[in-house]
Amino acid sequence: MPQSTDELKTQIKRLNSKAGQIKMDLHDLAEGLPENFENLLPLANETYAIYRQLDELKKQLKQVEQKL
Amino acid sequence: MPQSTDELKTQIKRLNSKAGQIKMDLHDLAEGLPENFENLLPLANETYAIYRQLDELKKQLKQVEQKL
């Protein structure tokens, strides 16, 4: 059963705040290099996963809204 | 045959400038998220490889210098 726009919007809102936080973590790590370079890949992978999921949810929302 | 300090220093110098450039590229990409998020992992992998190599060369230089 496809999710409702409200459910999608709630998920997007929650993920957006996570994305905003991890974006700053990645920004700070990049700025602090070479310090902490060992954490770069785990953090980049986590950041990518969040932004890809966010991208997919936004596409789903667009599709659901077009059907209304 | 272990490299001389001069050879190691030249390599470190060259890699340092590459590291400085890619650090800014990663910083800009992080700042621009969600834009361009598809390039995050390739760029993070390249950045990690450069900083790990730099770390190893610096350790080698330390060892060579301690033997002098």
Side-chain angles (χ1 to χ4, degrees):
Chain A
M1 199 209 47
Q3 291 171 314
S4 72
T5 51
D6 287 345
E7 281 163 348
L8 284 169
K9 281 178 182 170
T10 309
Q11 278 187 312
I12 287 170
K13 201 174 160 214
R14 210 179 297 139
L15 210 55
N16 251 331
S17 71
K18 252 175 103 176
Q21 179 54 52
I22 205 163
K23 173 176 169 172
M24 281 191 289
D25 296 344
L26 185 65
H27 172 275
D28 294 348
L29 191 147
E31 210 157 67
L33 287 172
E35 224 185 277
N36 220 358
F37 78 91
E38 300 83 3
N39 293 336
L40 174 56
L41 289 186
L43 183 57
N45 283 311
E46 198 187 340
T47 305
Y48 177 74
I50 288 174
Y51 276 92
R52 198 186 53 190
Q53 195 185 353
L54 200 52
D55 192 55
E56 275 159 28
L57 285 171
K58 285 176 183 172
K59 282 176 185 151
Q60 279 177 35
L61 181 60
K62 224 184 232 169
Q63 281 168 358
V64 171
E65 283 175 336
Q66 278 163 356
K67 284 180 192 150
L68 294 180
Chain B
M1 202 205 54
Q3 291 172 312
S4 72
T5 51
D6 288 345
E7 280 162 351
L8 283 168
K9 282 178 182 168
T10 309
Q11 277 187 312
I12 287 169
K13 202 175 160 212
R14 209 178 297 140
L15 210 54
N16 252 330
S17 72
K18 253 174 100 178
Q21 179 53 53
I22 205 163
K23 172 176 167 172
M24 280 191 288
D25 296 344
L26 185 66
H27 172 276
D28 293 346
L29 190 148
E31 210 157 68
L33 289 173
E35 223 186 274
N36 218 358
F37 78 91
E38 300 83 4
N39 292 336
L40 175 56
L41 289 187
L43 183 57
N45 282 310
E46 198 188 341
T47 305
Y48 177 74
I50 288 174
Y51 276 93
R52 197 185 54 189
Q53 196 185 353
L54 201 52
D55 192 55
E56 274 160 27
L57 285 172
K58 285 176 182 173
K59 282 177 186 151
Q60 278 178 36
L61 181 61
K62 224 182 226 169
Q63 282 167 357
V64 171
E65 283 177 336
Q66 278 162 354
K67 285 179 193 151
L68 295 181

